[in-house]
């Protein structure tokens, strides 16, 4: 009883006077979150400035263009919350079946994930492989080829298999590592379901420790996908309210911005010239937990406004933009780089923003044109998702009840 009273008090502090969103409103928030997070992912995949020797994963470069490298690194660390939040939403939507028919529900969802995730991933990678392979034959020294994780001049059979299917290494469209890991997570979802029902905190601890330690458990490229997918399922099965009050949302966002700023300035405080300290790596991963809450809370405040509703209409293009944005952004970077008048901080930041905006504009425009002119091709490349309009039909599905007495005691 004391635990329940504490949980209710904590809930009131987090949510304040905010009302729980209706299923339609929650669907709109999820659509808004998806497209905004993928735009954030495009920013993240800008990576380092052309001709720069310092990775933004290190932090600010105090020796050269400190302002521009601070902005680039800050954006990268801020959008580290993209994969966790997308994974959590996916896990929350996944576990919507009746607990009494879990076997059929799991089989159905695994099959759906094959057609909505893995099959379009393979199609996109085949398209990239053909196009970039042709580019290699025509211009083997073209700069874009150096940005890829496959070298056509020495690639073997396994390299091509990975380029298509992402078996043991990232595919040619390296952003699809996330889609591949999400599909593998769906494949092992029967084990996750068993853990969520019988030992929820043990499963959470195993996946959480593996994630913080950087272990893929022999299955994943990165365990954060499975860990946050599991957290999403955990929240779903316990009917945990998802709404956050405006005051709490903006306070957590301020905390997250402070943490990201501190991480970006780490080279100013700690020697990062050699191997990155393990504590810094673990702390960088852990701050994603704050980022997930911060971004979700702020999305709740914005998504239900007229502007948020307009953006949410394009949530169905999130997968298409995710699929199309790389190596597109690498090529856009190369094309825009010679146009810079000077490599000053201001122009470098302008190059970053322009590269991302051009990439997003091309990706979304291509999706809309394909959806109108070749809807069957678009459906295949977008995993069956509609380009615009309402999304997320599983939002309104009743949460499967937890009937065991001990489950009702552990709560959310």
């Amino acid at each position: 009883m004391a635990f329940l009273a504490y949980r209710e008090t904590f809930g009131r502090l987090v949510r304040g006077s905010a009302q729980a969103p209706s299923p339609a409103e929650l669907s709109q928030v999820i659509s808004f979150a998806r497209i905004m997070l993928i735009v954030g992912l495009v920013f993240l995949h800008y990576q380092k400035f052309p001709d720069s020797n310092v990775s933004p994963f290190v932090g600010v470069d105090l020796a050269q263009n400190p302002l521009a490298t601070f902005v680039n690194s800050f954006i990268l660390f801020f959008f580290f919350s993209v994969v966790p939040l997308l994974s959590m939403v996916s896990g929350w939507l996944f576990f919507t079946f009746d607990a009494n028919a879990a076997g059929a529900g799991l089989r159905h969802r695994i099959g759906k994930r094959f057609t909505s995730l893995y099959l379009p991933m393979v199609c996109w990678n085949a398209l990239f492989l053909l196009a970039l392979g042709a580019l290699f034959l025509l211009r083997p020294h073209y700069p874009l080829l150096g940005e890829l994780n496959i070298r056509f001049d020495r690639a073997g059979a396994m390299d091509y298999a990975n380029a298509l299917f992402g078996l043991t290494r990232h595919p040619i469209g390296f952003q699809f590592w996330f889609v591949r890991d999400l599909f593998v997570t769906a494949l092992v979802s029967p084990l996750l379901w068993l853990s969520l029902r019988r030992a929820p905190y043990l499963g959470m601890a195993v996946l959480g420790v593996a994630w913080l330690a950087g272990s893929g458990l022999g299955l994943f490229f990165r365990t954060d996908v499975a860990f946050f997918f599991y957290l999403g399922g955990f929240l779903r099965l316990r009917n945990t309210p998802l709404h956050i009050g405006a005051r709490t949302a903006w306070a957590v966002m301020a905390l997250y911005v402070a943490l990201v700023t501190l991480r970006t300035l780490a080279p100013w405080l700690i020697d990062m010239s050699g191997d990155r300290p393990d504590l810094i790596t673990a702390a960088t991963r852990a701050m994603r937990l704050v980022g997930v809450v911060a971004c979700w809370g702020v999305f709740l405040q914005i998504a239900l406004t007229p502007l948020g509703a307009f953006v949410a209409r394009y949530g169905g293009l999130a997968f298409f933009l995710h699929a199309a944005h790389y190596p597109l952004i690498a090529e856009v970077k190369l094309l825009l780089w010679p146009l810079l008048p000077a490599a000053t901080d201001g122009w470098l930041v302008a190059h970053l923003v322009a590269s991302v905006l051009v990439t997003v504009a091309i990706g979304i425009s291509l999706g809309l044109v394909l959806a109108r002119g070749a809807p069957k091709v678009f459906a295949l490349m977008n995993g069956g998702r509609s380009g615009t309009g309402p999304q997320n039909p599983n939002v309104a599905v009743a949460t499967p009840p937890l009937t065991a007495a001990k489950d009702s005691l552990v709560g959310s």
Side-chain angles (χ1 to χ4, degrees), residues 61-103:
D61 182 2
L62 299 172
Q64 186 176 10
N65 299 115
L67 177 59
T69 56
F70 174 86
V71 171
N72 189 17
S73 188
F74 179 93
I75 290 173
L76 179 137
F77 289 128
F78 183 90
F79 285 116
F80 269 7
S81 59
V82 167
V83 165
L85 185 48
L86 287 173
S87 300
M88 185 176 288
V89 169
S90 184
W92 189 86
L93 291 170
F94 188 89
F95 293 103
T96 56
F97 44 78
D98 187 340
N100 296 321

Short mmCIF file of all heavy atoms in Angstrom, two decimals, residues 61-103:
data_model
loop_
_atom_site.label_atom_id
_atom_site.label_comp_id
_atom_site.label_asym_id
_atom_site.label_seq_id
_atom_site.Cartn_x
_atom_site.Cartn_y
_atom_site.Cartn_z
N ASP A 61 35.97 20.46 -30.69
CA ASP A 61 37.37 20.54 -31.09
C ASP A 61 37.88 21.91 -30.66
O ASP A 61 37.55 22.94 -31.26
CB ASP A 61 37.50 20.36 -32.60
CG ASP A 61 38.95 20.38 -33.07
OD1 ASP A 61 39.85 20.49 -32.21
OD2 ASP A 61 39.19 20.28 -34.28
N LEU A 62 38.68 21.93 -29.62
CA LEU A 62 39.16 23.20 -29.07
C LEU A 62 40.22 23.85 -29.93
O LEU A 62 40.47 25.05 -29.83
CB LEU A 62 39.71 22.97 -27.66
CG LEU A 62 38.70 22.43 -26.63
CD1 LEU A 62 39.40 22.06 -25.34
CD2 LEU A 62 37.62 23.47 -26.38
N ALA A 63 40.84 23.07 -30.82
CA ALA A 63 41.95 23.60 -31.62
C ALA A 63 41.48 24.25 -32.91
O ALA A 63 42.12 25.18 -33.41
CB ALA A 63 42.94 22.48 -31.94
N GLN A 64 40.37 23.78 -33.48
CA GLN A 64 39.93 24.28 -34.79
C GLN A 64 38.41 24.39 -34.83
O GLN A 64 37.71 23.42 -34.53
CB GLN A 64 40.43 23.35 -35.89
CG GLN A 64 40.15 23.85 -37.29
CD GLN A 64 40.76 22.93 -38.36
OE1 GLN A 64 41.23 21.85 -38.06
NE2 GLN A 64 40.74 23.38 -39.60
N ASN A 65 37.92 25.55 -35.20
CA ASN A 65 36.47 25.80 -35.32
C ASN A 65 35.70 25.31 -34.09
O ASN A 65 34.79 24.47 -34.20
CB ASN A 65 35.92 25.13 -36.57
CG ASN A 65 36.55 25.63 -37.84
OD1 ASN A 65 37.24 24.89 -38.55
ND2 ASN A 65 36.33 26.91 -38.15
N PRO A 66 36.03 25.83 -32.90
CA PRO A 66 35.37 25.33 -31.69
C PRO A 66 33.86 25.57 -31.68
O PRO A 66 33.11 24.72 -31.18
CB PRO A 66 36.07 26.10 -30.56
CG PRO A 66 36.69 27.30 -31.22
CD PRO A 66 37.05 26.86 -32.60
N LEU A 67 33.38 26.69 -32.23
CA LEU A 67 31.95 26.95 -32.21
C LEU A 67 31.21 25.97 -33.12
O LEU A 67 30.20 25.37 -32.73
CB LEU A 67 31.66 28.39 -32.65
CG LEU A 67 30.17 28.77 -32.74
CD1 LEU A 67 29.48 28.58 -31.40
CD2 LEU A 67 30.01 30.20 -33.25
N ALA A 68 31.70 25.80 -34.34
CA ALA A 68 31.05 24.90 -35.29
C ALA A 68 31.10 23.45 -34.79
O ALA A 68 30.11 22.72 -34.90
CB ALA A 68 31.70 25.01 -36.66
N THR A 69 32.23 23.03 -34.27
CA THR A 69 32.33 21.65 -33.79
C THR A 69 31.49 21.44 -32.53
O THR A 69 30.97 20.35 -32.31
CB THR A 69 33.79 21.26 -33.52
OG1 THR A 69 34.38 22.18 -32.59
CG2 THR A 69 34.59 21.25 -34.81
N PHE A 70 31.33 22.50 -31.72
CA PHE A 70 30.43 22.39 -30.57
C PHE A 70 28.99 22.16 -31.04
O PHE A 70 28.30 21.29 -30.54
CB PHE A 70 30.50 23.65 -29.71
CG PHE A 70 29.47 23.66 -28.59
CD1 PHE A 70 29.76 23.05 -27.38
CD2 PHE A 70 28.22 24.24 -28.77
CE1 PHE A 70 28.81 23.03 -26.36
CE2 PHE A 70 27.27 24.23 -27.76
CZ PHE A 70 27.56 23.61 -26.55
N VAL A 71 28.55 22.95 -32.02
CA VAL A 71 27.18 22.81 -32.54
C VAL A 71 26.98 21.42 -33.13
O VAL A 71 25.98 20.74 -32.85
CB VAL A 71 26.89 23.90 -33.59
CG1 VAL A 71 25.56 23.63 -34.29
CG2 VAL A 71 26.88 25.28 -32.94
N ASN A 72 27.93 20.97 -33.94
CA ASN A 72 27.82 19.66 -34.58
C ASN A 72 27.77 18.54 -33.55
O ASN A 72 26.92 17.63 -33.60
CB ASN A 72 29.00 19.46 -35.52
CG ASN A 72 28.85 18.22 -36.38
OD1 ASN A 72 27.76 17.66 -36.52
ND2 ASN A 72 29.94 17.77 -36.97
N SER A 73 28.67 18.60 -32.58
CA SER A 73 28.73 17.56 -31.55
C SER A 73 27.51 17.61 -30.64
O SER A 73 26.96 16.58 -30.25
CB SER A 73 30.01 17.71 -30.74
OG SER A 73 30.19 16.62 -29.86
N PHE A 74 27.05 18.81 -30.29
CA PHE A 74 25.87 18.95 -29.44
C PHE A 74 24.65 18.32 -30.11
O PHE A 74 23.88 17.59 -29.48
CB PHE A 74 25.61 20.43 -29.15
CG PHE A 74 24.38 20.68 -28.31
CD1 PHE A 74 24.49 20.78 -26.93
CD2 PHE A 74 23.12 20.80 -28.89
CE1 PHE A 74 23.35 20.99 -26.14
CE2 PHE A 74 21.99 21.01 -28.12
CZ PHE A 74 22.11 21.10 -26.74
N ILE A 75 24.46 18.62 -31.39
CA ILE A 75 23.33 18.06 -32.13
C ILE A 75 23.41 16.53 -32.15
O ILE A 75 22.41 15.83 -31.96
CB ILE A 75 23.29 18.63 -33.57
CG1 ILE A 75 22.89 20.11 -33.53
CG2 ILE A 75 22.34 17.83 -34.45
CD1 ILE A 75 22.99 20.80 -34.88
N LEU A 76 24.62 16.02 -32.38
CA LEU A 76 24.79 14.57 -32.41
C LEU A 76 24.41 13.94 -31.07
O LEU A 76 23.63 12.97 -31.02
CB LEU A 76 26.24 14.24 -32.76
CG LEU A 76 26.60 12.75 -32.81
CD1 LEU A 76 27.46 12.46 -34.04
CD2 LEU A 76 27.36 12.33 -31.55
N PHE A 77 24.95 14.47 -29.97
CA PHE A 77 24.65 13.89 -28.66
C PHE A 77 23.18 14.08 -28.29
O PHE A 77 22.57 13.21 -27.67
CB PHE A 77 25.55 14.51 -27.59
CG PHE A 77 26.99 14.09 -27.69
CD1 PHE A 77 28.01 15.02 -27.71
CD2 PHE A 77 27.32 12.75 -27.75
CE1 PHE A 77 29.34 14.64 -27.79
CE2 PHE A 77 28.65 12.34 -27.85
CZ PHE A 77 29.66 13.29 -27.88
N PHE A 78 22.59 15.21 -28.68
CA PHE A 78 21.19 15.44 -28.36
C PHE A 78 20.31 14.39 -29.03
O PHE A 78 19.39 13.84 -28.41
CB PHE A 78 20.77 16.84 -28.83
CG PHE A 78 19.35 17.19 -28.47
CD1 PHE A 78 19.07 17.80 -27.27
CD2 PHE A 78 18.30 16.89 -29.33
CE1 PHE A 78 17.75 18.12 -26.92
CE2 PHE A 78 16.98 17.20 -29.00
CZ PHE A 78 16.71 17.81 -27.79
N PHE A 79 20.59 14.09 -30.28
CA PHE A 79 19.75 13.15 -31.01
C PHE A 79 20.16 11.70 -30.80
O PHE A 79 19.66 10.81 -31.49
CB PHE A 79 19.72 13.52 -32.49
CG PHE A 79 18.86 14.73 -32.77
CD1 PHE A 79 19.42 15.90 -33.27
CD2 PHE A 79 17.50 14.70 -32.51
CE1 PHE A 79 18.64 17.01 -33.52
CE2 PHE A 79 16.71 15.81 -32.75
CZ PHE A 79 17.28 16.97 -33.25
N PHE A 80 21.05 11.47 -29.85
CA PHE A 80 21.29 10.09 -29.42
C PHE A 80 20.02 9.46 -28.84
O PHE A 80 19.92 8.25 -28.70
CB PHE A 80 22.39 10.06 -28.35
CG PHE A 80 23.77 9.88 -28.91
CD1 PHE A 80 24.01 9.90 -30.27
CD2 PHE A 80 24.86 9.71 -28.07
CE1 PHE A 80 25.29 9.74 -30.79
CE2 PHE A 80 26.14 9.55 -28.56
CZ PHE A 80 26.36 9.57 -29.93
N SER A 81 19.04 10.28 -28.48
CA SER A 81 17.79 9.76 -27.92
C SER A 81 16.85 9.23 -29.00
O SER A 81 15.80 8.67 -28.68
CB SER A 81 17.08 10.85 -27.12
OG SER A 81 16.81 11.98 -27.94
N VAL A 82 17.20 9.39 -30.29
CA VAL A 82 16.30 8.99 -31.37
C VAL A 82 16.03 7.49 -31.35
O VAL A 82 14.88 7.04 -31.29
CB VAL A 82 16.89 9.40 -32.74
CG1 VAL A 82 16.13 8.71 -33.87
CG2 VAL A 82 16.84 10.91 -32.92
N VAL A 83 17.09 6.69 -31.42
CA VAL A 83 16.92 5.23 -31.46
C VAL A 83 16.21 4.70 -30.22
O VAL A 83 15.27 3.90 -30.33
CB VAL A 83 18.28 4.53 -31.68
CG1 VAL A 83 18.20 3.04 -31.35
CG2 VAL A 83 18.75 4.73 -33.12
N PRO A 84 16.60 5.13 -29.01
CA PRO A 84 15.87 4.65 -27.83
C PRO A 84 14.38 4.97 -27.85
O PRO A 84 13.55 4.10 -27.54
CB PRO A 84 16.58 5.36 -26.67
CG PRO A 84 17.95 5.59 -27.16
CD PRO A 84 17.80 5.90 -28.61
N LEU A 85 14.01 6.20 -28.21
CA LEU A 85 12.59 6.56 -28.18
C LEU A 85 11.82 5.83 -29.28
O LEU A 85 10.71 5.36 -29.05
CB LEU A 85 12.43 8.07 -28.32
CG LEU A 85 11.00 8.62 -28.19
CD1 LEU A 85 10.29 8.05 -26.97
CD2 LEU A 85 11.02 10.14 -28.12
N LEU A 86 12.39 5.73 -30.48
CA LEU A 86 11.73 4.97 -31.53
C LEU A 86 11.56 3.50 -31.12
O LEU A 86 10.53 2.88 -31.40
CB LEU A 86 12.52 5.06 -32.83
CG LEU A 86 12.48 6.39 -33.58
CD1 LEU A 86 13.47 6.37 -34.75
CD2 LEU A 86 11.08 6.69 -34.09
N SER A 87 12.57 2.95 -30.48
CA SER A 87 12.49 1.55 -30.04
C SER A 87 11.44 1.38 -28.96
O SER A 87 10.69 0.39 -28.96
CB SER A 87 13.86 1.09 -29.50
OG SER A 87 14.86 1.19 -30.48
N MET A 88 11.35 2.33 -28.04
CA MET A 88 10.36 2.24 -26.97
C MET A 88 8.94 2.33 -27.53
O MET A 88 8.06 1.56 -27.12
CB MET A 88 10.60 3.34 -25.93
CG MET A 88 9.69 3.24 -24.72
SD MET A 88 10.08 4.47 -23.45
CE MET A 88 11.60 3.81 -22.80
N VAL A 89 8.73 3.25 -28.46
CA VAL A 89 7.41 3.35 -29.10
C VAL A 89 7.07 2.05 -29.83
O VAL A 89 5.94 1.55 -29.75
CB VAL A 89 7.37 4.55 -30.07
CG1 VAL A 89 6.11 4.51 -30.92
CG2 VAL A 89 7.45 5.86 -29.30
N SER A 90 8.06 1.49 -30.52
CA SER A 90 7.83 0.24 -31.24
C SER A 90 7.46 -0.89 -30.29
O SER A 90 6.54 -1.68 -30.56
CB SER A 90 9.08 -0.14 -32.04
OG SER A 90 8.86 -1.30 -32.81
N GLY A 91 8.15 -0.98 -29.15
CA GLY A 91 7.83 -2.01 -28.17
C GLY A 91 6.46 -1.80 -27.56
O GLY A 91 5.72 -2.77 -27.31
N TRP A 92 6.10 -0.55 -27.32
CA TRP A 92 4.79 -0.25 -26.74
C TRP A 92 3.67 -0.65 -27.69
O TRP A 92 2.64 -1.19 -27.30
CB TRP A 92 4.70 1.24 -26.42
CG TRP A 92 3.50 1.64 -25.64
CD1 TRP A 92 3.35 1.63 -24.28
CD2 TRP A 92 2.26 2.13 -26.16
NE1 TRP A 92 2.09 2.07 -23.93
CE2 TRP A 92 1.40 2.39 -25.07
CE3 TRP A 92 1.79 2.37 -27.46
CZ2 TRP A 92 0.12 2.87 -25.23
CZ3 TRP A 92 0.51 2.85 -27.62
CH2 TRP A 92 -0.33 3.10 -26.51
N LEU A 93 3.86 -0.41 -29.00
CA LEU A 93 2.86 -0.78 -29.99
C LEU A 93 2.84 -2.28 -30.26
O LEU A 93 1.81 -2.83 -30.67
CB LEU A 93 3.14 -0.04 -31.31
CG LEU A 93 2.90 1.47 -31.30
CD1 LEU A 93 3.45 2.10 -32.58
CD2 LEU A 93 1.43 1.80 -31.14
N PHE A 94 3.97 -2.94 -30.06
CA PHE A 94 4.09 -4.36 -30.41
C PHE A 94 3.22 -5.24 -29.51
O PHE A 94 2.53 -6.15 -29.99
CB PHE A 94 5.55 -4.79 -30.30
CG PHE A 94 5.84 -6.17 -30.81
CD1 PHE A 94 6.16 -6.38 -32.14
CD2 PHE A 94 5.81 -7.27 -29.96
CE1 PHE A 94 6.44 -7.65 -32.62
CE2 PHE A 94 6.09 -8.54 -30.43
CZ PHE A 94 6.41 -8.74 -31.76
N PHE A 95 3.25 -4.98 -28.20
CA PHE A 95 2.59 -5.88 -27.24
C PHE A 95 1.14 -5.44 -27.01
O PHE A 95 0.78 -5.02 -25.91
CB PHE A 95 3.39 -5.91 -25.93
CG PHE A 95 4.73 -6.56 -26.08
CD1 PHE A 95 5.88 -5.78 -26.13
CD2 PHE A 95 4.86 -7.93 -26.17
CE1 PHE A 95 7.13 -6.37 -26.27
CE2 PHE A 95 6.10 -8.54 -26.31
CZ PHE A 95 7.24 -7.75 -26.36
N THR A 96 0.33 -5.57 -28.05
CA THR A 96 -1.06 -5.13 -27.96
C THR A 96 -2.05 -6.29 -28.03
O THR A 96 -3.25 -6.06 -28.00
CB THR A 96 -1.39 -4.16 -29.11
OG1 THR A 96 -1.10 -4.80 -30.35
CG2 THR A 96 -0.59 -2.88 -28.98
N PHE A 97 -1.54 -7.51 -28.13
CA PHE A 97 -2.43 -8.65 -28.31
C PHE A 97 -3.02 -9.10 -26.97
O PHE A 97 -2.54 -8.73 -25.90
CB PHE A 97 -1.67 -9.81 -28.96
CG PHE A 97 -0.30 -10.03 -28.38
CD1 PHE A 97 -0.12 -10.69 -27.18
CD2 PHE A 97 0.83 -9.54 -29.05
CE1 PHE A 97 1.14 -10.88 -26.65
CE2 PHE A 97 2.10 -9.72 -28.51
CZ PHE A 97 2.25 -10.40 -27.31
N ASP A 98 -4.05 -9.91 -27.06
CA ASP A 98 -4.69 -10.48 -25.88
C ASP A 98 -3.73 -11.46 -25.23
O ASP A 98 -3.19 -12.36 -25.89
CB ASP A 98 -5.99 -11.19 -26.30
CG ASP A 98 -6.80 -11.66 -25.10
OD1 ASP A 98 -6.23 -11.79 -24.00
OD2 ASP A 98 -8.01 -11.90 -25.28
N ALA A 99 -3.53 -11.31 -23.93
CA ALA A 99 -2.59 -12.18 -23.22
C ALA A 99 -3.00 -13.64 -23.32
O ALA A 99 -2.14 -14.54 -23.23
CB ALA A 99 -2.49 -11.76 -21.76
N ASN A 100 -4.27 -13.93 -23.50
CA ASN A 100 -4.74 -15.31 -23.59
C ASN A 100 -4.47 -15.92 -24.97
O ASN A 100 -4.68 -17.12 -25.16
CB ASN A 100 -6.24 -15.37 -23.30
CG ASN A 100 -6.55 -14.96 -21.87
OD1 ASN A 100 -5.82 -15.30 -20.94
ND2 ASN A 100 -7.62 -14.19 -21.69
N ALA A 101 -4.06 -15.11 -25.93
CA ALA A 101 -3.73 -15.61 -27.26
C ALA A 101 -2.35 -15.10 -27.66
O ALA A 101 -2.14 -14.64 -28.78
CB ALA A 101 -4.79 -15.16 -28.27
N ALA A 102 -1.41 -15.19 -26.73
CA ALA A 102 -0.08 -14.62 -26.94
C ALA A 102 0.65 -15.28 -28.10
O ALA A 102 1.34 -14.61 -28.88
CB ALA A 102 0.75 -14.74 -25.67
N GLY A 103 0.51 -16.59 -28.24
CA GLY A 103 1.21 -17.29 -29.31
C GLY A 103 0.82 -16.78 -30.68
O GLY A 103 1.68 -16.44 -31.51
#
